[in-house]
Each structure stands twice: as structure tokens, then as C-alpha cells.
Amino acid sequence: MTELTIIRPDDFHNHLRQGELMPHLVQETEKVFGRTLVMPNTLPPVVTGEDLQRYRSELESVGADLQFLMTFKIIQETKPEMITGLKSAGAIAGKLYPQGVTTNAEDGVEDVENLFPVFEAMQQENVVLCIHGELSGVEDLQREEAFLPTLKKIHSNFSKLRIVLEHVSTEAAVQLVQELGEKVAATVTVHHLLLSTEDVRNGKLNPDHFCAPICKSEADRAALVQIALSGHPKFFFGSDSAPHSRKDKEGEHPKPGIYSTPVALPLLTGLFESHDKLDQLEDFTSRFGAEFYQLPQNQGQLSLVKEEWMVPKEYFGVVPLKKGERLKWKVMV
Ligand code: DOR
Ligand code: ZN
């Protein structure tokens, strides 16, 4: 096959940031995706309905062709009474970050059970709970697995609440999400499908591949590839594209996050093709996520062509995944 056309994909986990970087990130996203779920861990964070409306207006002023699916950040101070207002401001999901697990998560949640009244309100309002599923204070390779009992507990207390375990990275999590019934789904990133721990640190850290959760073992990666290719409707694409400036990535304490928006679809197409599963790509990128979020499919399409191109070393001061490498598939714009 030399050309492929699919329903315009959605990115159900994207960091569009704020300030100077934001318009560039929106423009790159808009070249590929019809809709994107916008993460709220900006500076300042998106916590209230007002924050959300302000941020959405800023995004819309630079990205008229992209539909922004808005989220709010659940912090210790979030109150159940705020959920109705957030929903009417346009929120379709709230994002839970355990304290300290990733970029700008200093205001994250320390005690998840304190938030149960908030989850109750979200369940009632049919607002999705997106979870960064890592337990802080544990060795990084173990953090996701250590969080799984908390996921089980949330689900058993709120059996009608739709939950997305974001950027799933372990076989154990893939297993659990499959067991937990139709209300619990997971996003899968392109970097967790392609990288394992040795690509991140092998004697020394490669900041370009450093992200949270850290990419795990080959066995974990294989489990992610298997589930993404399998056509399981609870596993769908969310890039977790998380750009940081070169300076923030290359300092003594590099920030976690991989910028993948411009390479995501070419890489996924190559991966699905190499397993002879190109016919499953559209479900993964353009159907399953929309179904879980109770949204219609996108109207438009995206075409990719088998034509080699070289990934730039940098986009607006941000190093992308696969910088300087040649990819086989190219997005037609
Ligand atoms: O690697 C990551 N970077 N993981 C996250 O969960 C957050 C993200 C960011 O915002 O930089
Ligand atoms: Zn993220």
C-alpha cells in the first residue's frame, strides 16, 4: 500500500501549554487531528470554569480548524459543587494527578479518597475522570503498578463513572483495564509503543525519551503493542505529546515529556503496517476514543502517503521524538 486514508484522528491526551509555545503546538495538532483533549496542567492550571473558558478562547483564537475538548485539573481544593459549573463551561473530563508525579503536579492530589465526593459529582454529571496513574514515592519503574489498587478502588466505589487510565505503560495495567468492564478505558501513546527503558537510560539518561510514566520493559511494550493492534475498543490513541524547551530538557533535572504530535501518525502507521494490521489503525486513532467519550466520529479524513521524510531536529525550540530520523509514512497536508 502506498497511500492510506482514514477518518480524521483524535488525540485524546495532548499538552498545548500556554504562552509563546501554544500557537505552534495548536498549529501542528491541527494538521493531523480533528479534535484533541487538552490537558489542564498549564501554568497557571485550569481549575475553574472561568479558567477553562479563558484557555479555550485563547486556543480557539489560534486554531480555528481544531476542536478543543476541554478538561480541568482536580486539585485537593476542588469541590463537588464546582462540577456542574465546569461541565456547563464545556469540560468533558477532569484530570487527576497524584501529587508530585510529573510536570506541574506539585498541586496534585495527596489523598485520593478525599476526592470521592468530587468523583461522585462527576459520575452524576457524566464527566470523565482521566487519571495519571502513578503512585509517587515509589521507584519509577514500579509507580504505575503501585497505583493499580487505587484505580480498582475508585472504580468499585463509582461503577458508573467513566475512567481513562492515561498513557498506560505496563502489562499489569493493560490486564487490569481489560478486567474492569466497559467504564474503564486507557489511552496508549506512540512512545510507549516504541520505546523501552533501555532507550531512556542506558548508563546515562536520554532526555529526549524521558517521560512520565517512564517507558518500561520489552515485555510491557509488547503487551501494549498487542492490545493496540488487537482492536480492543477500550484502548485508544492519546499522544501525551508533552513539549519542553531544549533548555528544560537538557538541564541537570530534565523535565519529563516527549513531543510527538508531528510524528505520531507516521509512526503509528509504520507500526501497524509492520504487524500487517493497517486495517486496525483507524479504529485505534479515530473510532474507539470517540465512542468512549460519546462523541460522533470526525467528518473529515486524513491521508498518509508512503514517502520518506526526515524529522526535523527541532520544532520551535522543542526536540521531537525521532529527531533527524527518516520515517516511511508522511501526513499529506
Ligand atoms: O511525561 C510527561 N509529561 N508526563 C506527564 O504526565 C505530563 C507531561 C508534561 O506535562 O510535561
Ligand atoms: Zn500528559
Side-chain angles (χ1 to χ4, degrees), residues 13 15 17 39 41-42 95 97 101-104 132 134 166-167 191-192 210-214 240-244 249 255-258:
H13 185 136
H15 295 271
R17 309 297 196 209
M39 288 300 123
N41 66 334
T42 43
K95 176 81 185 271
Y97 291 94
V101 290
T102 189
T103 309
N104 305 338
H132 183 115
E134 288 196 290
E166 299 294 335
H167 39 56
H191 49 274
H192 290 101
F210 175 52
C211 64
I214 189 161
D240 193 17
S241 185
H244 294 285
K249 287 298 274 180
K255 293 197 171 166
I258 296 179

Side-chain angles (χ1 to χ4, degrees), residues 111-113 116 119 131 147-159 161 163 176 180:
D111 183 354
V112 170
E113 285 187 40
F116 275 16
F119 300 161
I131 302 181
F147 184 84
L148 297 180
T150 309
L151 172 63
K152 268 198 214 168
K153 194 177 219 168
I154 299 171
H155 174 63
S156 66
N157 279 273
F158 305 99
S159 59
L161 177 65
I163 300 174
L176 180 64
L180 290 184

